[in-house]
Amino acid sequence: MHDMNSGKSTLYLRLNWAYFTLGVVLIIGVYALYGVNMVRWRNSPDFGWRTMYDSGPNVVAQVLDIGEAAGLRVGDTILSINGNPYSTFDELFFKVRNNEPGSVNTYTLQRDGKTVDISITTGRIGFNSVLFRSVPLVLIGLVYVIIGVLVFLMKPRATESWLFFVMTSFLGMHLSYGAPSDLMRPLWLFDVRLFIDVLFPAPIIHLALRFPKTRTFLKKSPWLWIVPYLLSFLHFIL
C-alpha cells in the first residue's frame, strides 16, 4: 500500500512538472511573438491618433503629438478619411488610410455639431514611442509571471501552487498585451489576447475554491472545478 501511494505521489509530481514546463514554453512563445512585434513597431506608421475597441473605430480616443499639432481632439468623431466613409476596424486599418510615412490623410470630423476637415502627415512611431507605450506593461506583466513561477518552484506538489502559477501567468500576459503600439502580427495574436482575457477569471475562481482550504461542496462534487473554465471557453467561442 505504501509503495502504491508513493507511486501515485511520484506520478502526480511528474504531471505537475510536465504541465508547468508546457505552461512556461507557451508563455515564452507568447512573449517572444509580442517581442518581435515591438521591434517591428518602431517602423510602423504614426497617424497621430488612436482609437479603442470599446469606443468604436470612428471615435478619437487618444491624440498623439502630430495629431495634436494638426488640431485633432479626443472625442472627435471621424466621418470619413480621404473622402471615404467607414464603419469597421478592418476598413480603418486596411482600406481608407495612407500608411506610408510622409503621406497625408485628410479627416472629415464631427465636432460640437460642426463638420471639420483636418490633414495629418503620417509619421513613424519610432523606438522611443514603443518604449513608452508598450514596454512598461510588458515588464509589469513579467513580474506577475515570475511570481507565479517562484511560488510553484517552492511547492511543486501543491495543487494550489499550480493554480496560483496559472492565475498569475494569465494576469501577467493580460497586462503585457494590454498596450500594443500598432497592429499585432500575425493577426491571430488578437485572438490570443482575447483568449487570455476571457479565460483569466477561471483560475481565480478555481484557486478561491481550493485556498486556504477546499470548499465542502467541491469535496462532494470534485468535477465542479471545471465549470468556470467551460463558461470561459463558451464565452470565447461566442
Side-chain angles (χ1 to χ4, degrees), residues 60-72:
V60 177
Q62 181 183 9
V63 177
L64 307 174
D65 290 341
I66 60 175
E68 184 178 6
L72 202 61

Side-chain angles (χ1 to χ4, degrees), residues 110-155:
Q110 187 174 47
R111 177 192 295 169
D112 301 327
K114 300 178 181 179
T115 301
V116 181
D117 287 335
I118 291 178
S119 295
I120 302 175
T121 301
T122 304
R124 289 186 188 274
I125 291 179
F127 177 75
N128 287 338
S129 293
V130 174
L131 189 66
F132 177 77
R133 296 179 197 175
S134 301
V135 172
L137 279 183
V138 169
L139 295 178
I140 293 172
L142 275 172
V143 169
Y144 281 97
V145 173
I146 291 171
I147 290 172
V149 169
L150 292 176
V151 168
F152 177 86
L153 293 177
M154 286 189 291
K155 288 190 174 182

Side-chain angles (χ1 to χ4, degrees), residues 159-161 163-164 167 202-212:
T159 301
E160 291 78 9
S161 295
L163 292 176
F164 186 82
M167 181 189 71
I204 297 177
I205 296 172
H206 192 178
L207 181 61
L209 296 177
R210 297 271 317 200
F211 185 84

